[in-house]
Amino acid sequence: MKLINLDHVAIAVADLDAAIAGYSDRYRIEPLYREVVESQGVEEAMIPVGGSFVQLLQPLGAETPVGKFLERNGEGLHHVAFAVVDIEAALDHLDETGTRLIDRHPRLGGRGARIAFVHPKDLAGTLVELVEIPS
Ligand code: CMX
Ligand code: CO
């Protein structure tokens, strides 16, 4: 298990266009790309900041994970994502340590990356994503 970078901080938003405009206006940062990820039920915009990204997430529907989060909490911080070299090895390690995983095996996320989530009730009330960036 080796975390190599804080890949992104994800923020749930109700209106992706408005959120992108807000970050551009206040912080002078712009999305590198924008993508619908059907399997995760989101449209996402990735805004580079140094070696990491701000990931803005707009739900595709009310019954998606981010849709339910918005309904319950309103807009705000949704998860943090750590980059790993080998996501299978990282998940094996977490499983061995009794970690409460949402995904025991990786799924496909944005950028063609393999991703997996750790349950927010596992540690410090924080939803954690592991991401293996394709080389
Ligand atoms: N951060 C912290 N806590 C969260 C949370 C979040 N993002 N989402 C839910 N929770 C809390 C809930 O408030 C609830 O707390 P209580 O038990 O105290 O009420 C608890 O976790 C469990 O919630 P639940 O109602 O049982 O389950 P949900 O249907 O809300 O699902 C979760 C929660 C985390 C399993 C689900 O959102 C999930 O599988 N997330 C991972 C996938 C995802 O979020 N994809 C979108 C991101 C796309 C991307 O980054 O590429
Ligand atoms: Co993410």
Side-chain angles (χ1 to χ4, degrees):
M1 161 64 81
K2 186 170 164 56
L3 305 182
I4 53 172
N5 190 27
L6 178 62
D7 185 74
H8 61 266
V9 169
I11 299 168
V13 303
D15 182 335
L16 191 57
D17 290 323
I20 290 170
Y23 276 87
S24 171
D25 185 47
R26 268 70 153 183
Y27 300 108
R28 300 281 183 251
I29 53 178
E30 306 287 340
L32 187 61
Y33 61 88
R34 191 176 162 148
E35 187 180 355
V36 173
V37 185
E38 293 278 355
S39 61
Q40 292 292 327
V42 294
E43 181 170 4
E44 65 179 46
M46 293 294 265
I47 309 179
V49 180
S52 306
F53 293 87
V54 172
Q55 178 183 59
L56 301 176
L57 297 173
Q58 179 184 323
L60 296 179
E63 289 311 307
T64 61
V66 176
K68 285 196 266 180
F69 177 92
L70 269 183
E71 179 75 34
R72 209 179 289 168
N73 307 288
E75 294 187 308
L77 192 57
H78 187 260
H79 65 266
V80 296
F82 300 117
V84 294
V85 177
D86 181 344
I87 196 168
E88 306 271 7
L91 289 168
D92 288 346
H93 164 78
L94 291 173
D95 192 44
E96 280 161 20
T97 59
T99 304
R100 186 169 166 191
L101 298 172
I102 295 171
D103 303 302
R104 177 62 185 87
H105 299 285
R107 296 191 272 166
L108 212 52
R111 295 174 283 176
R114 297 203 298 163
I115 65 171
F117 284 89
V118 179
H119 201 280
K121 294 295 171 182
D122 179 70
L123 182 62
T126 308
L127 178 60
V128 170
E129 177 185 352
L130 299 179
V131 48
E132 182 188 289
I133 313 292
S135 47

